[in-house]
């Protein structure tokens, strides 16, 4: 692996002194060599996963379509985390992230504890850090944390015992690093790399931690044209400073795009009315077959999920031949295996 500058390591709380991954909190500032390494390890794991829905996809490289099949989603592939405890702490709802972290941990032979937040003592007023101190006392090794507050995972990483590792599974609007990484693994799989790619990120960028993580990853990996597409009310002021081009007209944003990443309207994070109605939003920004036709003929369509059919994407597109939405989910298991193994120091 290429060396990472010592000054950079000191400034990055995610890295050990040797420049390895101690926590995964954000893609911002993560060295390119580490991002590439995570994708590389994940791609190796993807070959061994049962691919379910993803098997029907037309994989360009074919890598994810060839591996031996396992009979159970829990069967350990590589018992690298045997004897370790992964605690899934989801203070916000999740289907994909929580489940794929659990599958990833079990695939590596770890024990998994899913904290039921609704039934936990958080509802009796216990602070986040007190909850973490108590769970640490139960000999946790890795905390996977989703929280509505931006910065929650950083806070835990700052205050937890030195042997613990924290993986951010989405914090407020701030970051969703494993989603960003699985999106990059998916793009690399279908497009072979990032050189020459035009990527359009469409929709509610303002409230999207996925958009921020994708933009950091794409710029670090050298994607030359990243467009953010949406109404003024859903694009943050100054987003151009992240190295993206702003488009308010969807046809302009999609023209010639190789990759289209659709975003969900994050109604739970909106203060007040930012849109007239979801029907009008679909009329102006929904991805329909006609709009998809202005993108590159071999464009892939992505969405982090959950999708809202008829709001941000038409069913014909979500279920159509260019959609890789369910394949992203499968890559999620492989990427999370790579991340868990790397923060625990058993994969390099
Ligand atoms: N993409 C994603 O984070 O989905 P979940 O909210 O279901 O985890």
């Amino acid at each position: 692996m290429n060396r990472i500058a010592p000054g950079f390591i000191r400034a990055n709380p995610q890295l050990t002194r040797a420049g390895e991954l101690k926590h995964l909190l954000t893609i911002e500032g993560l060295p390119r060599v580490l991002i590439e390494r995570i994708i590389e390890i994940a791609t190796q794991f993807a070959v061994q996963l049962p691919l379910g829905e993803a098997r029907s996809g037309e994989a360009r490289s074919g890598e994810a379509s060839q591996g031996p099949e396992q009979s159970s989603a829990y069967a350990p592939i590589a018992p690298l985390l045997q004897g370790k405890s992964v605690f899934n702490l989801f203070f916000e709802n999740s289907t994909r992230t929580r489940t794929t972290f659990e599958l990833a941990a079990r695939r590596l032979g770890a024990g998994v504890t899913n904290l039921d937040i609704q039934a936990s003592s958080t509802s009796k007023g216990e602070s986040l850090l007190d909850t973490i101190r108590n769970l640490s006392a139960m000999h946790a090794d890795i905390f996977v944390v989703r929280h509505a507050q931006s910065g929650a995972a950083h806070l835990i990483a700052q205050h937890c015992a030195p042997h613990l590792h924290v993986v951010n599974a989405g914090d407020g609007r701030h970051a969703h690093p494993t989603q960003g990484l699985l999106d990059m693994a998916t793009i690399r799989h279908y497009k072979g790399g990032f050189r020459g790619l035009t990527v359009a990120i469409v929709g509610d960028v303002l409230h999207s931690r996925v958009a921020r993580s994708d933009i950091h990853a794409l710029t670090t990996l050298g994607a030359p044209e990243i467009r953010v597409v949406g109404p003024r009310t859903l694009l943050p002021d100054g987003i151009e400073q992240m190295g993206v081009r702003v488009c308010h007209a969807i046809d302009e944003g999609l023209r010639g795009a190789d990759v289209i990443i659709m975003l969900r309207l994050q109604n739970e994070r909106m203060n007040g009315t930012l849109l007239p109605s979801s029907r009008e939003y679909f009329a102006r920004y929904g991805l329909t077959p006609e709009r998809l036709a202005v993108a590159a003929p071999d464009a892939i369509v992505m969405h982090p999920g959950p999708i809202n059919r008829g709001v941000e994407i038409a069913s014909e597109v979500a279920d159509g031949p260019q959609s890789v939405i369910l394949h992203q989910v499968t890559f999620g298991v492989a990427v999370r295996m790579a991340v868990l193994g790397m923060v625990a120091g058993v994969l390099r």
Side-chain angles (χ1 to χ4, degrees):
M1 191 190 294
N2 293 341
R3 268 179 58 74
I4 300 165
F8 187 86
I9 293 168
R10 278 195 296 278
N12 196 324
Q14 309 182 94
L15 304 183
T16 66
R17 284 184 191 187
E20 283 155 12
L21 209 56
K22 157 94 177 149
H23 307 291
L24 178 63
L25 306 175
T26 174
I27 293 179
E28 184 176 9
L30 205 60
R32 180 174 178 153
V33 286
L34 278 181
I35 297 177
E36 288 176 340
R37 185 74 187 126
I38 293 167
I39 295 172
E40 196 178 305
I41 293 173
T43 301
Q44 289 165 21
F45 280 133
V47 176
Q48 301 175 63
L49 288 168
L51 286 160
E53 296 283 355
R55 198 181 300 120
S56 63
E58 291 174 22
R60 172 172 161 164
S61 69
E63 290 159 38
S65 311
Q66 290 169 356
E69 291 182 20
Q70 304 280 335
S71 56
S72 160
Y74 291 120
I77 287 174
L80 299 169
L81 294 184
Q82 202 136 35
K84 301 278 184 196
S85 290
V86 175
F87 278 50
N88 259 340
L89 312 180
F90 279 65
F91 295 86
E92 228 190 24
N93 293 339
S94 168
T95 297
R96 281 144 287 271
T97 312
R98 178 176 151 149
T99 313
T100 52
F101 263 114
E102 175 165 359
L103 293 176
R106 290 190 192 281
R107 287 291 196 182
L108 293 173
V112 181
T113 299
N114 290 304
L115 185 70
D116 180 352
I117 296 299
Q118 308 304 326
S120 75
S121 290
T122 310
S123 58
K124 298 180 197 163
E126 186 171 65
S127 75
L128 177 63
L129 288 181
D130 278 334
T131 301
I132 293 299
R133 285 186 193 106
N134 281 272
L135 296 172
S136 302
M138 299 173 203
H139 303 292
D141 294 293
I142 301 175
F143 288 133
V144 177
V145 182
R146 170 168 289 190
H147 204 286
Q149 292 295 323
S150 295
H154 284 73
L155 184 75
I156 294 169
Q158 276 167 1
H159 290 90
C160 68
H163 76 278
L164 276 159
H165 308 281
V166 179
V167 180
N168 184 2
D171 62 326
R173 302 179 185 190
H174 172 238
H176 194 347
T178 55
Q179 180 71 46
L181 291 165
L182 76 88
D183 287 350
M184 297 309 112
T186 307
I187 293 171
R188 201 189 78 164
H189 181 74
Y190 286 98
K191 294 292 167 191
F194 298 86
R195 199 177 300 159
L197 280 191
T198 296
V199 181
I201 302 175
V202 184
D204 183 4
V205 177
L206 180 65
H207 301 100
S208 177
R209 53 197 177 205
V210 176
R212 263 168 273 281
S213 290
D214 281 345
I215 293 168
H216 286 305
L218 287 164
T219 51
T220 305
L221 292 170
E225 172 134 351
I226 307 163
R227 302 173 188 163
V228 292
V229 187
R232 280 175 210 288
T233 50
L234 294 182
L235 298 184
D237 286 341
I239 183 95
E240 299 89 341
Q241 286 158 24
M242 292 184 79
V244 300
R245 186 178 135 200
V246 170
C247 302
H248 296 298
I250 188 156
D251 281 358
E252 178 198 347
L254 296 183
R255 187 152 292 119
D258 303 293
V259 176
I260 301 170
I261 302 175
M262 299 305 294
L263 300 173
R264 181 175 66 88
L265 288 180
Q266 313 254 308
N267 290 309
E268 72 277 22
R269 293 186 222 289
M270 290 188 193
N271 292 321
T273 309
L274 297 176
L275 295 167
S277 70
S278 48
R279 183 193 289 241
E280 185 162 330
Y281 179 78
F282 184 70
R284 288 194 58 201
Y285 290 101
L287 187 60
T288 58
E290 296 73 30
R291 287 185 172 140
L292 179 56
V294 307
D298 62 348
I300 57 169
V301 175
M302 301 171 62
H303 192 307
I307 61 171
N308 290 308
R309 292 168 186 267
V311 178
E312 64 258 357
I313 190 164
S315 281
E316 302 96 292
V317 177
D319 303 330
Q322 288 170 263
S323 170
V324 299
I325 293 170
L326 293 175
H327 311 195
Q328 289 172 261
V329 178
T330 305
F331 272 110
V333 180
V335 161
R336 286 166 179 134
M337 287 174 74
V339 167
L340 292 174
M342 285 177 76
V343 295
V346 297
L347 289 170
R348 293 203 163 85

